[in-house]
Amino acid sequence: MGVDWRAVRAEFPALERWTFLNTATYGQMPRRAVEAAARHYAHRDELACSDFLSWFDDADRIRGLIAQLIHSAPEDIAFIPNAATALGLLLGGLDWQPGDRIVTLQDEFPNNLYHPALLAARGVEVVEAPWSEFYPSVTSRTRLVVLSEVNYTTGFRPPLQEISEFLHERDVLLYVDGTQSLGALQFDVRRLRPDMLAVHGYKWMLAPNGAGFMYVAPALRERLHPSVVGWRSHRDWRRVDNLHHGAPEFKSDAEKYEGGMLPFPLLYPMGASVEMFLEIGPALIEQRVIDLTTLVREALRRLGARLLADEGPHYNSPVVAARVQGADASELARQLKQRRVLVSARHGLLRLSAHFYNNEEDIERFEAELQPLL
């Protein structure tokens, strides 16, 4: 039986008033996610937080849902407030030596440029390679490659499976930021084998700001020490009547990286959205996104825009970037917003990003509103 996409769309009230093609900036939260947060607050009032330890059982259930989504084990998942936290944990936990090298791609998201650059003070070389020079940039001194699965500006999607195989043959760690892809595109850690995958859920996963997770591969967990240590770091932390004093004994699970209390009002909505993805089916969601993205590209071509996807390979992603000759992308985005059509501009490119809650009428209205502005 097919998916009733109209019923799915009805979960997103903002779409009744806006033509929204901007999930790469912010995802719309479904009603069920908002209701999940409201239920949590009501539950707090009902029991005066007396059952707070049971909330961690709920967190473990959400951990399991995320693991199901990316084909991992629940113990591989730790909750984080944003992707920068995960990268900071990784960079801070490795024993860097002068001459070590980190490789990333040109025009990466600032997270993936700023923090690695700070390691230059310790003699670490950071290489921002164009895609054409990526593989030669990985030398015998390379210890880590930092990539986004989908580039936030251009929509470029590097071939992760090919890259992962290349890096594992050379014992180079692979960090992947999936914030601009997970929720729209399927991700299988068994096949892609990142050492760490970090996702802030407020875009394609349709979660609140501050709700995110990281996958940490078992082999990496054996060598990567926690950088945040708190009352939940000791493996017996649930014994709150008699918490351990002294140096903590860490669990082997990724949970050891969480340290302290969890942001439950954010996790319950993220869990509700992940349940929605699993109910619909990640494969069906990806196909829906790809079909809508194809229509977005066709509309832009009719308007005379130049698409990066037409100029090179590896742009098979839901983020569509285009150059509109003779027009300022930021000004176009501003004028479209006045017409209640939301897109974005990044580095001179007009950027559109359709999710499964969009429909054909959204794209038709975008085209009709942009045409007179050109």
Side-chain angles (χ1 to χ4, degrees):
M1 181 180 294
V3 178
D4 184 349
W5 294 111
R6 287 186 178 275
V8 169
R9 184 180 173 91
E11 279 267 354
F12 301 90
L15 304 185
E16 299 170 8
R17 299 177 296 279
W18 291 87
T19 299
F20 184 79
L21 294 165
N22 199 25
T23 300
T25 300
Y26 255 99
Q28 296 302 311
M29 281 176 49
R31 296 179 192 273
R32 66 178 72 189
V34 177
E35 291 165 359
R39 282 195 302 272
H40 172 62
Y41 283 119
H43 185 75
R44 287 170 60 109
D45 289 342
E46 179 184 3
L47 295 182
C49 303
S50 61
D51 66 333
F52 76 94
L53 279 178
S54 72
W55 306 350
F56 290 99
D57 297 330
D58 294 336
D60 287 341
R61 180 185 62 81
I62 296 167
R63 223 185 285 274
L65 293 172
I66 293 169
Q68 186 178 346
L69 185 66
I70 66 170
H71 305 281
S72 75
E75 56 265 26
D76 298 331
I77 305 300
F79 296 114
I80 51 174
N82 47 53
T85 298
L87 184 57
L89 168 71
L90 180 60
L91 294 178
L94 296 178
D95 181 23
W96 297 102
Q97 301 297 322
D100 287 345
R101 173 179 279 208
I102 298 172
V103 175
T104 187
L105 290 174
Q106 282 184 349
D107 304 318
E108 259 291 352
F109 191 65
N111 281 5
N112 298 344
L113 303 175
Y114 294 171
H115 197 151
L118 295 179
L119 292 175
R122 297 170 61 180
V124 177
E125 180 187 15
V126 179
V127 176
E128 300 173 35
W131 171 242
S132 60
E133 298 175 19
F134 171 76
Y135 288 111
S137 298
V138 178
T139 68
S140 60
R141 297 306 305 264
T142 303
R143 296 190 60 197
L144 173 67
V145 166
V146 175
L147 298 174
S148 296
E149 186 184 15
V150 170
N151 182 278
Y152 81 112
T153 294
T154 65
F156 183 77
R157 185 183 178 189
L160 283 184
Q161 185 171 2
E162 173 187 302
I163 291 170
S164 178
E165 291 171 356
F166 176 83
L167 297 179
H168 276 89
E169 290 172 358
R170 290 157 177 80
D171 197 28
V172 177
L173 293 172
L174 173 60
Y175 168 92
V176 177
D177 186 332
T179 300
Q180 280 292 12
S181 55
L182 192 70
L185 303 176
Q186 299 177 83
F187 197 101
D188 188 337
V189 298
R190 300 168 304 182
R191 180 173 59 85
L192 299 176
R193 298 174 63 205
D195 295 284
M196 181 179 284
L197 167 70
V199 179
H200 194 170
Y202 75 103
K203 296 179 186 285
W204 301 90
M205 286 188 67
L206 316 182
N209 298 78
F213 75 90
M214 62 179 178
Y215 160 86
V216 189
L220 179 59
R221 296 203 302 271
E222 293 178 1
R223 56 188 282 206
L224 185 66
H225 295 292
S227 59
V228 175
V229 180
W231 70 274
R232 286 182 57 238
S233 296
H234 184 67
R235 55 206 201 65
D236 250 354
W237 62 265
R238 284 179 181 262
R239 297 176 58 197
V240 294
D241 289 359
N242 189 23
L243 287 173
H244 172 76
H245 285 197
E249 298 173 20
F250 296 109
K251 298 171 69 172
S252 61
D253 297 0
E255 179 189 26
K256 68 182 178 181
Y257 300 112
E258 293 169 358
M261 185 56 78
L262 293 175
F264 291 100
L266 307 179
L267 297 186
Y268 284 109
M270 181 166 67
S273 289
V274 175
E275 284 180 330
M276 187 180 197
F277 298 145
L278 295 173
E279 286 172 12
I280 297 171
L284 290 175
I285 288 174
E286 179 175 299
Q287 187 58 57
R288 174 70 170 171
V289 171
I290 289 171
D291 291 344
L292 290 169
T293 301
T294 298
L295 296 179
V296 168
R297 292 191 180 111
E298 290 173 354
L300 286 165
R301 291 186 187 105
R302 285 193 295 270
L303 292 165
R306 288 178 51 205
L307 273 66
L308 298 190
D310 293 339
E311 299 174 4
H314 307 306
Y315 287 91
N316 53 327
S317 81
V319 177
V320 179
R323 291 187 177 90
V324 183
Q325 189 159 359
D328 179 85
S330 295
E331 179 62 18
L332 288 179
R334 187 189 66 80
Q335 292 186 47
L336 286 169
K337 181 180 178 180
Q338 293 176 346
R339 292 160 171 78
R340 303 188 77 81
V341 177
L342 288 178
V343 300
S344 58
R346 294 293 185 272
H347 297 283
L349 298 168
L350 196 65
R351 187 185 73 178
L352 282 76
S353 44
H355 210 340
F356 67 86
Y357 46 52
N358 287 112
N359 60 22
E360 292 77 2
E361 288 78 12
D362 288 335
I363 299 163
E364 291 168 3
R365 180 156 188 265
F366 158 76
E367 185 175 3
E369 293 290 350
L370 182 59
Q371 179 68 64
L373 300 179
L374 301 179

